[in-house]
Each structure stands twice: as structure tokens, then as C-alpha cells.
Amino acid sequence: GNRTFTPPSDPVVLAQKGCWYHPHVIGIMAGQKLDIKNEDQTNHNIHPMPTVNREWNQSQPPGAADLIEEFARAEVMVPVKCNVHPWMKAYIGVVSNPFFAVTDDKGAFSLKGLPPGDYTIGVWQEKYGTQDQKVTVGAKETKTLQFTFKG
């Protein structure tokens, strides 16, 4: 609906370690700080390629201070690359509410604290795209949804 939510004051961390982004997929609220760390002894750059937010491309040499950035608007998913190491890729899901999750290694997730109401739950997978399902959640009610991607 037209509810608004204040982004958390704690930043979300995206680390460059072993010439990989960790974690590979993150969720963040619009307006929440993104703390980017270079934990390697080599130069990196972080280059998010959004379509509705500001694009930026920032170098980060070894031992440099963390980069602190944020996204102003919701956008799922923002691809991130390192122009120095082309195999380095990550994805940032920017949302306008606190009801989001990244799956665990088995593909499970939970959304806690949803107020009663009608929702469309959307999921995204890097190779297989998006799916969504509608669900109605009552007070103190738990629902289970099953999403299946075919490869």
C-alpha cells in the first residue's frame, strides 16, 4: 500500500575478498547505507549498473577506506561488476520495505512480521528470472509458498 518505512541505521556490507563479491546477492532498503570493503591486496572497483538509480563506478585500492553508498529508489535487481576482474559479479535487491529476504543455501527464506493483508510475493533467480504468487496473511498466521524454477 502507501505505507512508508524508515531504513535501518545499520549498513549492509558487500565485501571484495578473494576476487569475489561476498555475499553474491544482498537485499537492502532504499536509503540504507551500503558499506563496501576491499579485503584483497589488489585494486578493485565497484560498478553497480542500475536502471532507476544513479550509476556509479568507484575504484577501491588495497587498504583503502570503505566506500559508503546508498540507493534512493527501489530496484530489483541491480547488477554489480568489477571492471578490473570481469568474473566478479553481485546483485543488489533494493526495496522500499523491510519485508525481504535472501534465500539460504537450500533455497528457503522467511518473511517475519508481515502485517495481516494481501500480498504478492516475488522471487528472483539469477539464471531463471522472476516468479510471483499472491497470498493472504491473517493475524498470527503462517503461510508456506513453494516456488519452482525449471532449468
Side-chain angles (χ1 to χ4, degrees):
N2 46 353
R3 296 181 192 168
T4 59
F5 300 91
T6 302
S9 57
D10 291 336
V12 172
V13 175
L14 181 62
Q16 299 165 106
K17 184 175 182 180
C19 284
W20 294 100
Y21 286 118
H22 296 277
H24 182 63
V25 176
I26 60 174
I28 190 169
M29 279 186 66
Q32 185 176 7
K33 300 294 184 204
L34 176 63
D35 181 356
I36 304 125
K37 300 176 179 296
N38 182 357
E39 298 180 8
D40 287 332
Q41 293 303 309
T42 189
N43 192 55
H44 288 295
N45 83 309
I46 182 161
H47 186 182
M49 297 167 293
T51 56
V52 300
N53 283 285
R54 172 183 64 85
E55 182 174 355
W56 44 277
N57 186 353
Q58 181 73 42
S59 179
Q60 195 173 30
D66 292 3
L67 299 173
I68 306 295
E69 292 284 347
E70 65 183 65
F71 296 92
R73 291 172 287 288
E75 180 173 355
V76 178
M77 297 293 284
V78 175
V80 180
K81 68 180 182 177
C82 172
N83 292 341
V84 178
H85 305 99
W87 61 86
M88 289 179 64
K89 293 181 176 37
Y91 297 90
I92 301 173
V94 185
V95 296
S96 59
N97 64 71
F99 306 112
F100 63 90
V102 175
T103 61
D104 64 18
D105 60 355
K106 294 185 182 350
F109 69 95
S110 64
L111 301 176
K112 297 187 187 291
L114 277 173
D118 296 324
Y119 296 93
T120 300
I121 306 297
V123 297
W124 171 90
Q125 203 282 336
E126 176 178 359
K127 292 180 182 173
Y128 301 117
T130 60
Q131 292 183 16
D132 59 46
Q133 292 183 31
K134 294 191 180 305
V135 64
T136 300
V137 179
K140 297 182 182 180
E141 186 176 28
T142 299
K143 293 281 179 98
T144 300
L145 300 177
Q146 182 75 34
F147 291 90
T148 303
F149 288 97
K150 297 182 183 188

